[in-house]
Amino acid sequence: MSNSKIIRQRIWSKLHEVAKPDTRFHLNFNEVIPDFEGSELATSRIVEMPAYKACRNAFITPDNCLVDLRRRMIEAGIPFVMSTYGIYRGFLLFEPGMVPKGAELYAAWLDGMEHFARPISLAEVARRGRFDLMVTGASAVSMDGVRFGKGHGFFDLEWGMFTDLGIVDEATPVVAIVHDVQVVEDKLHPSATDILVDYIATPSRFITVERRAKRPRGVKWELLEPEQIAATPPLQELRRIKGIG
């Protein structure tokens, strides 16, 4: 078993005590990054960031622990792009005016986002320009910024697409929101596709990471199975944009 899998299993046993069950996947952490007790407190720490206050274009993952952040961004009128579950239906765009007053919480849920947001192509994502902020959940994150997801590599893949388009880079602030039990003290070595985060927000603290390595760039096509490319419309679109046969 790899080091990352060992850490996931160790964290998941603790996460069972604080996680909120998902309506579809319950507490199956292989399939969902759950919401947890105190996620609103962690969100409040993000909202106080200068990068958040200045944000005009953000990328937010569909993780359950980010529902309150998405709600607050909708209420504040901050535009953001979000991936659909598994990126199977590409990306969605939330803009001011899309959500009626009083429906912000519903719109922030996965079912709600499908109802209120509109699909956006990868080309349009690129035309909108750089992301000012990226926020993601995690299965676990180390004090030195190494983030583990569910093990499917969706955030790494999104990062690869966005770097290929030139809308994120080393200077893009990346924040992970997790419960305190998901922060690990282990000294971890990032793989060729691991995205290092700059900040970690938990219910009890806000951690600024001293990054010691560069983030990866580009989609690692050689690591992808043909079935995954076929099931991910933005990857197919990126191949057309880049002229990859």
Side-chain angles (χ1 to χ4, degrees):
M1 184 179 291
S2 70
N3 193 37
S4 60
K5 288 183 179 179
I6 293 170
I7 291 173
R8 280 194 191 93
Q9 293 297 329
R10 190 179 78 209
I11 296 300
W12 286 350
S13 65
K14 299 177 182 177
L15 191 56
H16 271 272
E17 302 300 318
V18 296
K20 297 179 180 179
D22 181 73
T23 56
R24 293 174 177 83
F25 298 111
H26 190 50
L27 296 175
N28 181 355
F29 303 144
N30 282 304
E31 298 297 336
V32 66
I33 291 177
D35 197 4
F36 51 79
E37 296 173 9
S39 60
E40 296 85 357
L41 295 173
T43 298
S44 294
R45 301 181 192 283
I46 294 175
V47 170
E48 291 303 314
M49 293 176 59
Y52 177 88
K53 293 179 179 179
C55 183
R56 296 295 178 268
N57 186 32
F59 177 78
I60 311 296
T61 60
D63 301 318
N64 288 2
C65 57
L66 300 182
V67 167
D68 190 53
L69 177 65
R70 296 193 293 263
R71 176 189 65 81
R72 295 194 199 192
M73 294 183 75
I74 292 169
E75 289 179 346
I78 301 173
F80 63 92
V81 173
M82 183 170 65
S83 51
T84 55
Y85 181 82
I87 331 178
Y88 297 130
R89 292 178 305 287
F91 299 106
L92 296 173
L93 173 66
F94 274 100
E95 291 184 297
M98 285 183 165
V99 180
K101 189 171 179 58
E104 295 89 354
L105 178 58
Y106 172 58
W109 296 337
L110 297 196
D111 287 341
M113 74 175 188
E114 300 277 3
H115 179 77
F116 289 106
R118 71 170 175 85
I120 181 172
S121 68
L122 196 60
E124 187 178 353
V125 170
R127 287 195 296 271
R128 288 176 57 83
R130 291 176 55 86
F131 287 124
D132 302 316
L133 180 68
M134 298 181 72
V135 186
T136 178
S139 288
V141 62
S142 71
M143 291 288 289
D144 48 4
V146 180
R147 172 199 171 274
F148 297 145
K150 301 186 296 290
H152 304 306
F154 295 131
F155 189 65
D156 297 342
L157 193 55
E158 291 153 359
W159 176 267
M161 288 188 276
F162 297 153
T163 54
D164 269 339
L165 295 172
I167 56 176
V168 298
D169 57 25
E170 287 292 321
T172 305
V174 180
V175 187
I177 179 170
V178 293
H179 193 276
D180 291 278
V181 302
Q182 295 171 281
V183 180
V184 299
E185 301 289 341
D186 309 59
K187 198 73 173 177
L188 302 178
H189 299 285
S191 72
T193 58
D194 283 335
I195 310 306
L196 298 173
V197 305
D198 298 294
Y199 307 98
I200 304 167
T202 81
S204 71
R205 55 183 172 164
F206 186 80
I207 302 165
T208 299
V209 174
E210 295 293 334
R211 227 171 351 114
R212 69 184 195 280
K214 288 191 173 183
R215 293 167 174 155
R217 288 188 56 83
V219 172
K220 310 299 183 188
W221 295 102
E222 67 278 9
L223 301 180
L224 301 179
E225 297 292 338
E227 295 79 10
Q228 184 176 12
I229 297 172
T232 311
L235 283 176
Q236 300 168 41
E237 184 182 359
L238 183 62
R239 285 169 69 97
R240 293 193 295 270
I241 292 172
K242 294 291 186 180
I244 301 173

